[in-house]
Amino acid sequence: MPRSRRYDGGYFEITAISSAPVEHVMSESHRDPSIGTHEASSGEGMVYWQVALPGPLQMLFTYGVPADVSARAGMRVWVPLGKGQRMGVLWSPAEKETEWVIKPVLSVLDDEPLLDEELLACLGWAADYYHFPLGETVLAALAPSLRQGRSLHELAWRILPSGEQALADGTLRGARQRALLERIAQTPQGVSESQLRDFPKAVRLRLADLGLIEPFEQMMPSTWPVLAEMSGNKLPAPDLNEAQSAAVSAVAACLENFGVWLLEGVTGSGKTEVYLNLISRVLAQGRQVLILVPEIALTPQLVTRFTDRLGLVPAVLHSGLNDGDRLNAWLAARSGDATVVIGTRSAVFQPFADLGLIVVDEEHDGSFKQSEGFGYHARDVAIWRARRLGVPIMLGSATPSLESLRNVSLSRYHLLTLPERAGGAAMPDIRLLDVRQQRMRGGLSDDLVAAIETHLLAGGQVMLYLNRRGYASNLLCHACGWVAECAHCDSFMTWHRGVNRLRCHHCGFERQPPSVCPNCSATLSPRGLGTEQLEDVLTGLFPGFGIERLDRDALSRVGELDRRLARIQSSEARLIVGTQILVKGHDFPHVSLVAVVDADQALFANDFRGAERFAQQLIQVAGRAGRASRAGTVLVQTHQPEHVGLNRLIHAGYASFAQTLLAERAEAGLPPVRAAAMIRADARDADAPRELLTHMADWLHEHLADPADSPLDVWGPVPAPLARRAGRYRYQLLILADDRPRLHAALSQLESWQGTRRTKGIRWSIDVDPVDMA
DNA sequence: GAGTGAACACGG
DNA sequence: CGTGTTCACTCC
């Protein structure tokens, strides 16, 4: 006889997706209200656990879990904390003896660990390495809905024999009731609540009251399309050239072992084919693959390429995903249903059933490093995981980071090179254009204008790279020198003529530009070239040739990038103007000329990584030229044609330039040769951050000044490159050490300053391996 | 981080 | 003396 139950509102509340997990319990025993009382803590039958709690509390808290409940590290628990309650993750079993009165957990939210041993170990390492609170770190590995305490189980409904009977008899009168019953009858194993959204809740309740259907809890299914077997969907793999084959076979021979493989391939050399080949091999073994890409490189085209070639649907993780999709991808990766996961940096914390290979594309890209909050570097976390899992990891780039090149020279990484462009395309010819004393029209010298014209008339496309968006970098009064400044930062405001607004690119502050100088009422004139203005200038010089502008302003709407890329692909647009976005991985096969409009601005960047970044951008943007049969030309406008670094880069190539930079870093005692961390502090008060950091610096000197030991340098405090940002004054302190343990020890010491983290409105944070010094 | 209570500041 | 405000401290 089927069980017939009445369902009170409370039951549905509990299972509702958004309900507080405090009430969501996995077994009857948790519902016992006595567990919530203090007396239980001293009683028998409790197992003690250290629990990681989100928040700035970087220590673990001990709670009791009833002995009859299965508890394992990686399960979520709902615990009392102070007056409130919050979610935590079981971390490790604890000793019974503590000086605290141990409170019992209110409920255990999972009946199996959400995070496996490897991922927990990874999170523990990352929290330690990046000096970030463990509880917050753990959240990085949970999909947002899991952070909010959503259960991995969900309510589902299945039909009862009396329901079958009712359908057969046709006794059910209500049309909606019959429709729902029929829907549920279609799937004998049950239909989850979320798939029944189309039917009002009341209808379900009514059917349940009539004893026709019953609810039950089921593990949330991962609904991932599995197309792997549909081999007809795969596009054939092109033949690999010699270098590609060599790279593939080197790694393929070591698929069962950890190893870091740096694939250094000039742009257009077919790195992706090497990835695809290796990925296919790993998939053939039934294992999963994680592909990490920089933020801007994760485009629909890239995903399409993987989909078409591998004949499956990769799970794609990026910032635009909603919570539902994220949970789905998380589940699919954890269950193994998603065999390929492509994502930006946060995907590195994804759980996997059986990961067999990690690929980090464009490994030099700065967007792999999170600079605020939990300052992890996705590439480095990925390497940690690969080592722990005993699987290979491939880092690909045309312009590898100095870190990776150094690790190659220390024999920590294996180097694989693809020296030639696939398909025999010629390397672009890079030339400097001396613009000293030259007549400039809208930032373009006559020589450059002539070159553009030649290429356009020859039927080619021309791409102009300028790393400054907006119309003009600022509005200036020619009479008195007044410049539009941001009210909240020490910066000038950029004039965006299209929308006629002044914008601060550092804090987002916007305002209407004044019509005349607020100081002397003279007319204001734009100064400094931005992409918007360049677009105007080109329209004037080359009317009739379509222009496409690619920058963050132009691409705010979804799908806009695709539309513009399509116009470029079809040669509808012959001139392309853009910022950084041009640098990242898009193929523009008809571009025959690339112009770097202003090399000087990047050449004299104020932090020591400026040269490295510029070199990478120049080489990457140069790689956009002549990808098909035509050899491309790259022209670089500069006032410094004799610049030593620039000439070495152009004539000897990136690898040689990078070795010189590395030697310079060793000489100067800078990363990656030495280990670095940046302490940043900011406050509304102008002096407070500097005082705090001075204090820290003194303290570090006092406590760590051990001349016999390897040196530890403390530089600063100095005002941050943008000394005032969004109304807060910013200072920073750079700590350099000869080796990591030494740096680590110093940073751990600093954590005793934790209490001062929020005093006097000062916020401060530790950034290990800082990427940009700003 | 959020909640708490002690210390301090201020009005009439 | 009541009440508003800042600040340091705890949370298992």
Side-chain angles (χ1 to χ4, degrees):
Chain A
M1 224 16 223
R3 285 171 300 140
S4 172
R5 265 170 82 177
R6 260 199 80 86
Y7 307 101
D8 56 359
Y11 190 94
F12 296 103
E13 276 305 306
I14 287 166
T15 329
I17 300 309
S18 59
S19 74
V22 62
E23 292 159 318
H24 193 104
V25 287
M26 289 288 87
S27 72
E28 293 292 331
S29 66
H30 294 150
R31 293 188 194 168
D32 182 350
S34 73
I35 286 172
T37 64
H38 260 271
E39 291 79 43
S41 65
S42 54
E44 286 303 305
M46 282 286 172
V47 178
Y48 292 84
W49 277 86
Q50 306 249 73
V51 176
L53 296 175
L57 317 138
Q58 87 279 51
M59 67 285 234
L60 291 161
F61 283 61
T62 307
Y63 288 90
V65 178
D68 59 332
V69 176
S70 116
R72 278 191 286 156
M75 291 181 179
R76 293 170 303 162
V77 286
W78 191 249
V79 298
L81 180 71
K83 289 229 149 187
Q85 302 172 344
R86 69 176 66 190
M87 200 203 78
V89 172
L90 293 183
W91 190 255
S92 58
E95 291 302 313
K96 206 166 179 174
E97 295 83 34
T98 35
E99 50 187 305
W100 312 104
V101 178
I102 307 272
K103 292 184 185 174
V105 300
L106 297 168
S107 64
V108 178
L109 299 178
D110 303 302
D111 54 5
E112 58 181 299
L114 292 193
L115 307 168
D116 64 15
E117 209 181 304
E118 179 266 326
L119 196 44
L120 286 170
C122 172
L123 294 164
W125 166 79
D128 201 40
Y129 185 91
Y130 293 108
H131 293 266
F132 197 70
L134 179 62
E136 293 276 294
T137 305
V138 168
L139 295 183
L142 296 174
S145 25
L146 298 171
R147 279 175 221 164
Q148 289 150 26
R150 177 173 170 177
S151 171
L152 262 197
H153 290 243
E154 62 181 356
L155 188 68
W157 297 90
R158 63 184 157 222
I159 194 160
L160 293 168
S162 50
E164 306 270 15
Q165 193 63 46
L167 272 184
D169 298 350
T171 50
L172 208 56
R173 284 207 307 263
R176 284 195 307 183
Q177 290 181 22
R178 196 163 49 244
L180 175 59
L181 193 58
E182 278 165 4
R183 170 74 184 82
I184 293 173
Q186 279 168 16
T187 333
Q189 67 272 25
V191 187
S192 74
E193 182 101 334
S194 54
Q195 289 168 289
L196 297 173
R197 293 253 171 76
D198 298 343
F199 300 92
K201 198 168 170 179
V203 181
R204 266 168 273 159
L205 290 175
R206 182 71 191 131
L207 289 181
D209 270 349
L210 293 168
L212 304 178
I213 59 172
E214 68 169 357
F216 66 102
E217 271 194 345
Q218 66 172 16
M219 179 73 185
M220 200 179 285
S222 133
T223 52
W224 207 259
V226 180
L227 301 180
E229 299 311 313
M230 303 167 67
S231 54
N233 273 0
K234 285 190 212 177
L235 287 182
D239 290 337
L240 299 181
N241 64 31
E242 209 172 303
Q244 286 171 321
S245 308
V248 167
S249 37
V251 182
C254 307
L255 282 186
E256 306 302 322
N257 301 309
F258 167 70
V260 186
W261 303 86
L262 178 65
L263 182 65
E264 182 174 14
V266 298
T267 39
S269 61
K271 291 188 290 292
T272 311
E273 285 307 325
V274 175
Y275 305 154
L276 282 165
N277 197 301
L278 286 169
I279 291 167
S280 305
R281 287 163 192 257
V282 173
L283 293 178
Q285 297 178 333
R287 307 187 77 184
Q288 292 168 283
V289 179
L290 168 65
I291 303 157
L292 296 173
V293 296
E295 265 151 41
I296 321 174
L298 186 54
T299 60
Q301 296 97 305
L302 179 86
V303 176
T304 306
R305 185 162 177 198
F306 277 89
T307 309
D308 291 349
R309 283 289 306 283
L310 298 169
L312 50 81
V313 180
V316 181
L317 290 153
H318 61 271
S319 54
L321 238 46
N322 66 34
D323 287 0
D325 291 342
R326 254 183 216 218
L327 180 61
N328 207 10
W330 188 94
L331 285 165
R334 193 175 88 112
S335 66
D337 289 349
T339 48
V340 175
V341 175
I342 305 180
T344 52
R345 72 173 172 248
S346 62
V348 78
F349 291 110
Q350 217 52 205
F352 289 95
D354 184 15
L355 188 61
L357 172 71
I358 304 177
V359 173
V360 183
D361 191 26
E362 307 294 350
E363 66 89 25
H364 64 278
D365 196 284
S367 69
F368 286 122
K369 177 73 159 71
Q370 185 148 68
S371 53
E372 313 226 305
F374 177 24
Y376 65 96
H377 198 303
R379 176 196 60 210
D380 297 339
V381 175
I383 291 169
W384 192 97
R385 292 191 73 177
R387 167 175 289 143
R388 169 77 183 221
L389 291 165
V391 303
I393 175 167
M394 174 164 272
L395 312 179
S397 177
T399 54
S401 62
L402 296 188
E403 283 79 0
S404 295
L405 289 172
R406 179 161 184 268
N407 282 320
V408 166
S409 64
L410 294 174
S411 302
R412 291 179 188 153
Y413 297 177
H414 313 281
L415 180 67
L416 302 167
T417 43
L418 303 180
E420 284 164 27
R421 294 190 144 190
M427 286 301 287
D429 170 29
I430 304 180
R431 269 177 287 163
L432 296 181
L433 271 188
D434 183 358
V435 296
R436 286 175 301 184
Q437 322 270 329
Q438 298 294 304
R439 182 170 72 125
M440 304 291 277
R441 275 177 291 171
L444 307 177
S445 64
D446 288 348
D447 287 348
L448 181 54
V449 171
I452 294 172
E453 187 167 15
T454 307
H455 280 264
L456 287 177
L457 293 178
Q461 274 179 323
V462 176
M463 173 181 285
L464 293 100
Y465 173 69
L466 177 64
N467 207 3
R468 195 191 288 127
R469 63 204 164 87
Y471 187 84
S473 45
N474 47 59
L475 268 188
L476 175 92
C477 172
H478 200 55
C480 75
W482 179 89
V483 187
E485 287 176 76
C486 175
H488 310 286
C489 308
D490 284 340
S491 68
F492 300 122
M493 298 192 79
T494 304
W495 182 37
H496 291 248
R497 199 173 74 160
V499 288
N500 193 30
R501 299 284 284 175
L502 286 171
R503 271 186 202 152
C504 172
H505 288 182
H506 301 286
C507 73
F509 176 66
E510 270 192 37
R511 66 188 176 97
Q512 208 61 233
S515 50
V516 291
C517 174
N519 206 25
C520 70
S521 303
T523 318
L524 295 169
S525 50
R527 266 302 144 100
L529 185 69
T531 45
E532 243 181 75
Q533 190 179 352
L534 188 55
E535 189 182 5
D536 275 7
V537 170
L538 290 166
T539 311
L541 288 170
F542 303 104
F545 293 97
I547 299 187
E548 215 50 77
R549 174 162 61 90
L550 298 178
D551 59 27
R552 191 137 50 90
D553 295 319
L555 305 174
S556 41
R557 279 181 296 136
V558 280
E560 187 63 26
L561 179 64
D562 283 346
R563 277 193 289 278
R564 293 189 185 223
L565 289 175
R567 280 200 287 269
I568 294 169
Q569 216 66 35
S570 68
S571 288
E572 200 179 311
R574 300 283 299 283
L575 287 153
I576 305 151
V577 173
T579 57
Q580 303 261 23
I581 292 176
L582 295 181
V583 175
K584 317 276 173 174
H586 305 295
D587 283 356
F588 302 107
H590 309 300
V591 168
S592 59
L593 172 66
V594 171
V596 175
V597 178
D598 183 6
D600 299 343
Q601 121 197 43
L603 228 40
F604 303 106
N606 48 8
D607 86 66
F608 67 81
R609 277 185 220 269
E612 175 186 357
R613 258 200 308 262
F614 173 71
Q616 289 164 349
Q617 285 172 10
L618 176 60
I619 297 299
Q620 298 275 353
V621 82
R624 305 299 120 210
R627 296 204 98 182
S629 47
R630 263 179 276 231
T633 303
V634 180
L635 295 175
V636 180
Q637 291 199 130
T638 178
H639 287 89
Q640 311 287 325
E642 272 106 47
H643 192 278
V644 178
L646 194 53
N647 279 284
R648 181 172 294 114
L649 175 62
I650 289 170
H651 299 120
Y654 179 82
S656 161
F657 174 74
Q659 291 308 323
T660 316
L661 276 187
L662 263 178
E664 283 172 18
R665 300 281 182 85
E667 186 71 25
L670 289 169
V673 179
R674 298 179 85 204
M678 186 75 89
I679 315 294
R680 299 173 214 280
D682 68 74
R684 298 214 162 270
D685 183 275
D687 293 325
R690 187 177 39 78
E691 281 163 16
L692 174 71
L693 292 181
T694 306
H695 227 108
M696 279 189 188
D698 292 346
W699 191 86
L700 280 171
H701 281 128
E702 200 177 309
H703 288 258
L704 297 158
D706 186 353
D709 221 329
S710 66
L712 180 101
D713 290 336
V714 181
W715 292 5
V718 295
L722 195 65
R724 189 174 61 115
R725 176 170 169 175
R728 299 181 69 90
Y729 292 87
R730 311 156 73 228
Y731 281 83
Q732 56 194 31
L733 191 67
L734 184 63
I735 306 178
L736 291 160
D738 278 9
D739 56 90
R740 288 224 159 257
R742 181 97 177 120
L743 179 72
H744 208 272
L747 296 177
S748 299
Q749 302 266 22
L750 276 185
E751 278 181 2
S752 60
W753 289 63
Q754 162 75 5
T756 45
R757 252 183 215 234
R758 290 186 313 127
T759 48
K760 283 179 276 178
I762 308 173
R763 293 189 309 216
W764 68 274
S765 61
I766 298 174
D767 185 3
V768 178
D769 302 335
V771 161
D772 63 291
M773 299 291 141

